Amino acid sequence: MRRFFLCLLALGVLAVVSVMILPSFVSSDWMRAELGRQLSNATGSAIALNGPVRLSVVPHLAVVAENVSLDADGMTAEIGEVAGSVTLSSLCSDRLHVREVRLVRPVVALRPKAEAAAVAQDGGAEAGQASTGETRDPLAALVAFLEKSAIDKISISEGTLRQEGAGGSVDVVSDLNLTLAVPDIDGELSLSAGAGVDGRRYDVTLAVSPLRPLLEHKPAELSLSLEAEPQLAAGLTELTASGQVALNANGGYQIRGGKLTIGDEALGLDALFVPGSRPRFLADLNAERLDLSAFLDDGETAASSSQPEEPAGRTDKAKAAAGLQALAGFDADISVNVGALAVGDISASDVALTATLKDGQLTGRLEHLGIDAGSVAADLAADVGAAEPIFQGRVVSNGLDVSKLAALAGQSVPLSGTVTMDTAFAFRGLSANSVRKTINVTGGASLRDATIVIPGIADPAMAEVKAKKLALKIEGLAKPMRLAGSLVWRGKPAEIDLTLPVRDLLMDANARAGDIPLKLDLRTKEATLALDGKAALAGSYAGKVNFAAADLRSLLAWIGQADAGGITQFAFNGDVKASAAGVAFQKATLSVNGVEGSGNGAVELGTPLKISSALHFKELDLARLAGAPSAAPQAKAKSKASGGPATDAPLDLSALRSIDASIKVDAEKLAYGRVVAGPVATSLKISEGIANLDIPDSPFYGGQVAASLTADGSGTEPSIAVKASISGASAAPLLTDLANFKHLEGALQTTFDIAGAGGTTGTLKRSLKGTAEVRFSDGAIRGIDVADVYNNLVGLMSSGFKQNDNKATGFTELGASFAIENGVARTDDIKLVGPLVRMSGKGEANLPEDQLNFRLDPRVVASLQGQGADIATEGIGVPVVIEGSFAAPRIYPDLSGLLKNPDAALSTLKKLGLPTGKLGLDELLSGDGKGGKLRDILSGAIGKQPKDEGSELSIEQIIGGGGTEPEAAPPVDGQVPPDTAVEQPAPETPQPDQQPAAEAEQPAQDSGTLGKLFKLLQ
């Protein structure tokens, strides 16, 4: 550039020289060649006048040369026009008055010296001297000339400065307009220039006053201003520098005690510029306080206005070369020290920044930046001479406030907390695209005691998430980064583990738009969620989903959502495609209240939810889906002898209101509680809060069942209606599973139509109403053998009746019709026909209270006829009472009828072939025996008179051993007191895999009143 300024001065003299020598030349070609030779000798460069040269004398002497070329060490120039003019009168005086030197459309190309063309061989000594790289003051040659000259204006218009290299030619400066005025060496030198650089327009003004002290190595006043459009940063409209500048003996320019003003902020400036073959620049900037708040972006407008337009046709490599290769031509050493730095609400202290540039190697270091209780340190290194420089560095921070850091960057984030960072980075190039493609980062960061406010949520308690510690680990951007730690939301903790590919987000526009690989593991006490797929910032996801909520009610309450009705547990695992419109799933397994299934389906979000799916279940338990507790396995169920109603569980079908569904169901077993049918293939339809399930003919306990189930959750109270027909089903396991009733066997055929409503299972049972027709064939009533009762009357009367589940009353036909009201099923037409037994009866089954109360009237007949026999066949009757809980009813004979009509009983027993004479029953029952009548004996005539004369015990008291007895010895452990032998509570129901023990041998002791009676008979 020094050579260029010398050439510029020489071209200015061209006008004067031309005026003096042009008239002496006849040939214009020879004139141009001679002028070029003389100018080349004077400047040490190759100068050629390739176009016409014109001369004018009015009103001033002027010369215009077109198409001028210049070739100097490291530089070439093509100038469209060079013009100069002087006043005629100054030619005759001691002071030459140059009115103008003008360069139009100059194109200057800078290139590495190794590639520069050799200067002309006849360049003279000056050229040789220039090639040695000797340090020379570019303004020193002006001293003698300016002593005798006045220059009104030297101007450049439409100039271009190019940088040439291996990557090609790049325009560094375009549309250059420059004006220099030196009217007097004792006056002011002024320079104004404007140019475009990287899409931004810069305007510079420079003034040195007066010029003579500077040229004589004495201090002179300097002022410099710089403006840019678009502005360099928000609020940065102008940069100015002022101070005293002096020319040192080594040719360097030094500013001492200067001031650099950036906007409204001022820094002290001490600087030194040493020109030469490799210029050197040193600067120290310092300020006690610096407020950069005005430079924060006000918004999108300010941000966009500070972004220059990219010049067309320039590659990333060319932009990088244009931005940094110019720095490779000089060395620099800059330091910045600020006692207090303010940026908006952020305050920093003890800011120390150094930057060094030597032989193309740039190193920078932020030695300290204190922000509140935190600090930042960083370093950076790069080779700016490379076509694509590589930047490497490290950032270390401790205890920085996140929200204040964001404000420092001109951003506002809904996050507070302290961040600690230790990361190394590297990237190539300067353009955003190049940095994004090449950047790599390693290290980690942690966020502590943070509060995250989720935007768009009005309730502060719902919007606030606290993080005790979140740790970010980066092992290079080629690997996904991992964010893990603990969160607290609405008072409950959650563990998060998130994996994201940072490079994809930085490099791939498609990834930022929609395909971001994502791994998430979120765990709370109430639920777990695992994602492994690809997500989009717009809100879509495709991949694996594994979700499990052991306590769905607590989870929904935690996230502020309505209860899910009777659904308390939910789990899902499968392939999912989700968007704002809905969710589709495939190859999924799901569990609702412990009911597990698998299949495919889709859910369209909205109100109501629209669900379509095809699901397979090993066992579909409708009771558990409705919220009823899981039925305990039969092998582990143990009922108390006292029985009692089942636990009253909540029943909530309100979730049906929010669902519109068509679900194809393929179930190996279809169950309601422990009642199971299947396999079943059907469809579940849900619309307007009502669910319908029609079951076609399906296998059912060895028979067939067809049913229709309706569950209605549309009203304030849920209701359930069931219509069913059963044929050929095995009654024993069915009744055991249905009501834990184990005392009836046979082939069942029934139809029933039952409906009820209630918010709990107990309320539902109490509201049941409907009808049922029940028929059993070829079965038995387990717990009593009516025929055996008559065969063992003596033992029965002496020791009392004991229920034995190993005994049964067989039948060929048993039927009844029931009317159900308020959960109680009543009948008065029980009919049983079997060999030796006929039975009628009536009673009720109270479902809400889990109680049975039936009285059966069996009669032993001398006939083996079964089905079709007359129920009114004459015979001896011993009524049988069934009462108590479903699980453990008491079944016993009522002997009072036998004793109230002894003559009929004796006649029947004789017909049955019993040895009444040998047993003495005829004398006992007729009253002819020595012991007297049976009633007298039973009333206490034997052995003891009753306390109150004329009072008699009832027959029920006699059978039950309720008479007054002498005091007896305490019973032996494990034995039943004899007075309670006739009616005993049933023992605990034995386990199904255990057989009841054989009836124990009767104890050899008194067995109440009847025991005494039979002792007298012996």
Side-chain angles (χ1 to χ4, degrees):
M1 292 301 292
R2 174 179 58 83
R3 184 74 53 85
F4 177 73
F5 283 111
L6 291 176
C7 295
L8 182 63
L9 181 61
L11 289 173
V13 179
L14 173 66
V16 178
V17 175
S18 298
V19 170
M20 295 168 34
I21 67 172
L22 275 176
S24 63
F25 295 105
V26 176
S27 171
S28 61
D29 292 339
W30 180 88
M31 177 186 69
R32 288 195 300 270
E34 183 64 19
L35 282 175
R37 186 183 65 81
Q38 293 186 16
L39 290 173
S40 297
N41 291 336
T43 61
S45 303
I47 298 177
L49 306 178
N50 302 316
V53 178
R54 299 189 303 273
L55 175 67
S56 64
V57 294
V58 178
H60 308 288
L61 286 175
V63 62
V64 177
E66 298 180 12
N67 195 9
V68 178
S69 63
L70 181 149
D71 192 346
D73 187 19
M75 178 188 70
T76 62
E78 297 289 339
I79 306 171
E81 179 183 283
V82 177
S85 64
V86 298
T87 59
L88 288 172
S89 60
S90 66
L91 295 176
C92 301
S93 66
D94 294 334
R95 188 175 178 82
L96 180 66
H97 184 192
V98 180
R99 295 185 57 84
E100 180 183 23
V101 175
R102 183 176 73 249
L103 280 68
V104 180
R105 297 184 303 278
V107 178
V108 180
L110 303 177
R111 63 191 179 198
K113 291 186 178 182
E115 300 177 7
V119 296
Q121 294 182 357
D122 57 350
E126 293 83 0
Q129 185 180 21
S131 65
T132 62
E134 176 185 351
T135 300
R136 184 184 294 179
D137 180 5
L139 297 180
L142 291 176
V143 175
F145 176 78
L146 293 178
E147 287 281 356
K148 299 179 179 182
S149 304
I151 301 175
D152 289 347
K153 183 171 68 172
I154 298 176
S155 67
I156 298 175
S157 61
E158 303 178 38
T160 301
L161 179 63
R162 291 178 177 172
Q163 177 73 52
E164 294 184 349
S169 177
V170 178
D171 289 354
V172 177
V173 177
S174 62
D175 194 19
L176 172 64
N177 295 293
L178 179 146
T179 301
L180 174 67
V182 190
D184 191 342
I185 192 173
D186 293 315
E188 180 182 80
L189 178 149
S190 63
L191 181 146
S192 63
V197 179
D198 281 340
R200 181 178 273 116
R201 181 73 184 179
Y202 294 90
D203 292 308
V204 179
T205 61
L206 171 69
V208 178
S209 178
L211 180 58
R212 183 186 293 275
L214 177 64
L215 299 180
E216 294 178 351
H217 305 286
K218 296 178 181 179
E221 293 297 326
L222 169 72
S223 63
L224 172 70
S225 69
L226 171 67
E227 296 181 1
E229 179 64 34
Q231 58 192 18
L232 295 172
L236 182 55
T237 57
E238 184 180 18
L239 185 149
T240 64
S242 61
Q244 287 193 335
V245 60
L247 180 60
N248 293 336
N250 63 355
Y253 298 88
Q254 186 171 9
I255 299 176
R256 292 182 178 178
K259 183 171 68 173
L260 176 65
T261 304
I262 305 173
D264 294 330
E265 298 300 312
L267 296 91
L269 172 64
D270 290 309
L272 174 66
F273 175 70
V274 180
S277 59
R278 186 167 190 84
R280 186 181 179 192
F281 177 74
L282 297 89
D284 291 327
L285 300 172
N286 59 82
E288 293 183 0
R289 175 178 172 78
L290 197 60
D291 191 345
L292 302 181
S293 303
F295 306 135
L296 293 178
D297 287 347
D298 296 329
E300 292 184 2
T301 302
S304 61
S305 66
S306 65
Q307 298 300 318
E309 295 182 1
E310 292 288 351
R314 295 177 61 185
T315 65
D316 291 341
K317 290 184 179 181
K319 294 173 186 176
L324 288 181
Q325 283 186 350
L327 300 179
F330 64 92
D331 296 336
D333 196 342
I334 301 173
S335 67
V336 179
N337 291 275
V338 179
L341 178 67
V343 182
D345 295 332
I346 308 298
S347 60
S349 60
D350 300 329
V351 180
L353 173 66
T354 62
T356 302
L357 179 63
K358 185 172 181 59
D359 297 330
Q361 299 298 318
L362 173 65
T363 59
R365 180 170 179 79
L366 177 62
E367 296 180 355
H368 184 268
L369 174 65
I371 302 178
D372 290 342
S375 63
V376 179
D379 57 68
L380 175 70
D383 181 359
V384 298
E388 277 193 296
I390 296 176
F391 294 84
Q392 294 179 325
R394 184 182 179 191
V395 178
V396 179
S397 67
N398 184 35
L400 296 179
D401 188 286
V402 176
S403 59
K404 294 187 176 182
L405 280 179
L408 188 63
Q411 303 293 324
S412 177
V413 295
L415 174 65
S416 65
T418 58
V419 63
T420 299
M421 179 188 304
D422 188 352
T423 58
F425 63 88
F427 59 88
R428 179 185 291 112
L430 283 176
S431 69
N433 188 46
S434 177
V435 172
R436 187 167 54 245
K437 288 182 177 180
T438 60
I439 189 169
N440 194 26
V441 179
T442 60
S446 64
L447 182 66
R448 294 179 179 271
D449 301 322
T451 299
I452 306 165
V453 179
I454 304 173
I457 300 179
D459 186 355
M462 297 289 291
E464 186 176 271
V465 180
K466 294 185 178 295
K468 185 66 177 177
K469 180 180 179 182
L470 288 175
L472 177 65
K473 185 177 182 181
I474 305 174
E475 297 178 344
L477 298 187
K479 298 180 180 180
M481 73 172 186
R482 181 184 177 192
L483 178 67
S486 300
L487 302 175
V488 176
W489 185 58
R490 302 192 72 192
K492 293 187 177 182
E495 298 294 325
I496 186 173
D497 194 332
L498 174 65
T499 302
L500 284 173
V502 182
R503 181 176 291 279
D504 289 348
L505 292 175
L506 294 175
M507 293 178 53
D508 193 344
N510 292 329
R512 297 194 301 275
D515 297 327
I516 306 172
L518 168 70
K519 279 190 178 182
L520 172 66
D521 189 358
L522 181 64
R523 296 182 178 273
T524 69
K525 180 180 179 181
E526 292 75 14
T528 61
L529 172 65
L531 303 179
D532 187 356
K534 293 185 177 181
L537 297 178
S540 64
Y541 172 80
K544 296 283 186 182
V545 174
N546 191 340
F547 173 78
D551 188 350
L552 188 60
R553 287 195 177 110
S554 297
L555 175 65
L556 293 175
W558 180 42
I559 64 177
Q561 298 298 315
D563 193 288
I567 301 176
T568 59
Q569 176 269 336
F570 179 79
F572 176 91
N573 187 4
D575 296 332
V576 171
K577 287 186 178 180
S579 66
V583 178
F585 59 90
Q586 292 182 338
K587 301 177 182 178
T589 59
L590 66 156
S591 173
V592 180
N593 289 350
V595 179
E596 298 181 353
S598 61
N600 307 322
V603 178
E604 182 179 337
L605 299 180
T607 304
L609 288 177
K610 294 184 179 180
I611 303 174
S612 60
S613 63
L615 301 176
H616 173 78
F617 296 89
K618 287 188 176 180
E619 182 174 343
L620 176 57
D621 189 339
L622 300 178
R624 290 163 70 182
L625 285 180
S630 175
Q634 182 179 348
K636 297 181 180 179
K638 183 176 285 188
S639 302
K640 297 290 185 180
S642 59
T647 303
D648 194 7
L651 183 62
D652 190 351
L653 303 179
S654 60
L656 297 176
R657 303 174 198 166
S658 59
I659 299 174
D660 187 354
S662 176
I663 303 174
K664 294 181 180 180
V665 177
D666 175 17
E668 297 178 22
K669 293 182 180 180
L670 180 64
Y672 191 91
R674 287 196 298 265
V675 179
V676 180
V680 174
T682 184
S683 293
L684 175 63
K685 306 284 187 181
I686 303 176
S687 179
E688 298 181 351
I690 301 175
N692 292 291
L693 181 66
D694 292 325
I695 303 174
D697 281 339
S698 303
F700 187 65
Y701 290 90
Q704 294 288 315
V705 63
S708 175
L709 172 66
T710 300
D712 190 346
S714 61
T716 57
E717 190 174 51
S719 64
I720 294 177
V722 180
K723 294 182 180 180
S725 63
I726 302 173
S727 61
S730 179
L734 171 59
L735 295 177
T736 299
D737 290 342
L738 180 64
N740 206 18
F741 183 76
K742 306 175 183 178
H743 301 277
L744 191 57
E745 300 173 351
L748 171 65
Q749 183 165 343
T750 182
T751 60
F752 56 87
D753 185 352
I754 305 173
T760 65
T761 54
T763 306
L764 177 66
K765 289 180 180 180
R766 287 189 289 273
S767 70
L768 290 175
K769 60 182 179 179
T771 60
E773 295 285 340
V774 182
R775 293 290 181 270
F776 298 89
S777 60
D778 300 325
I781 300 175
R782 186 162 293 283
I784 185 171
D785 184 348
V786 174
D788 187 60
V789 169
Y790 296 101
N791 291 332
N792 296 281
L793 274 177
V794 175
L796 177 64
M797 292 180 177
S798 64
S799 62
F801 173 75
K802 290 185 178 180
Q803 181 175 323
N804 188 342
D805 287 342
N806 287 329
K807 295 184 178 182
T809 300
F811 62 81
T812 57
E813 181 181 349
L814 171 62
S817 60
F818 291 86
I820 305 170
E821 190 70 31
N822 297 326
V824 180
R826 294 182 174 88
T827 181
D828 57 6
D829 62 355
I830 298 175
K831 174 185 176 182
L832 180 146
V833 176
L836 301 177
V837 179
R838 304 290 186 268
M839 184 172 67
S840 61
K842 61 182 179 180
E844 63 182 32
N846 191 323
L847 300 179
E849 300 299 327
D850 193 32
Q851 293 292 310
L852 297 172
N853 187 8
F854 287 92
R855 184 177 181 85
L856 307 179
D857 188 14
R859 293 185 177 275
V860 177
V861 297
S863 171
L864 296 176
Q865 186 177 1
Q867 292 183 352
D870 185 2
I871 191 64
T873 303
E874 182 181 358
I876 184 171
V878 181
V880 176
V881 176
I882 303 175
E883 63 181 20
S885 68
F886 283 88
R890 298 170 60 220
I891 305 177
Y892 61 90
D894 185 356
L895 299 179
S896 60
L898 174 65
L899 300 180
K900 287 178 180 179
N901 191 359
D903 293 335
L906 182 61
S907 175
T908 301
L909 290 173
K910 287 181 178 180
K911 289 181 180 180
L912 294 175
L914 293 178
T916 57
K918 181 178 180 180
L919 295 175
L921 291 178
D922 50 353
E923 296 180 0
L924 177 63
L925 294 175
S926 64
D928 295 336
K930 61 182 180 180
K933 291 184 177 180
L934 178 63
R935 183 174 295 278
D936 293 336
I937 296 173
L938 297 178
S939 63
I942 299 176
K944 184 178 180 180
Q945 293 290 334
K947 292 182 180 180
D948 300 324
E949 293 294 336
S951 65
E952 292 184 346
L953 297 174
S954 67
I955 194 66
E956 289 80 5
Q957 289 174 309
I958 294 172
I959 300 302
T964 305
E965 300 293 339
E967 292 184 3
V972 180
D973 289 345
Q975 295 180 338
V976 180
D979 288 347
T980 61
V982 175
E983 292 184 20
Q984 304 176 40
E988 286 191 0
T989 304
Q991 301 296 333
D993 55 353
Q994 298 175 348
Q995 295 296 328
E999 188 173 359
E1001 185 179 349
Q1002 300 299 324
Q1005 63 178 43
D1006 290 346
S1007 300
T1009 303
L1010 290 178
K1012 294 179 181 180
L1013 169 64
F1014 281 95
K1015 281 187 178 182
L1016 292 175
L1017 295 175
Q1018 294 174 353

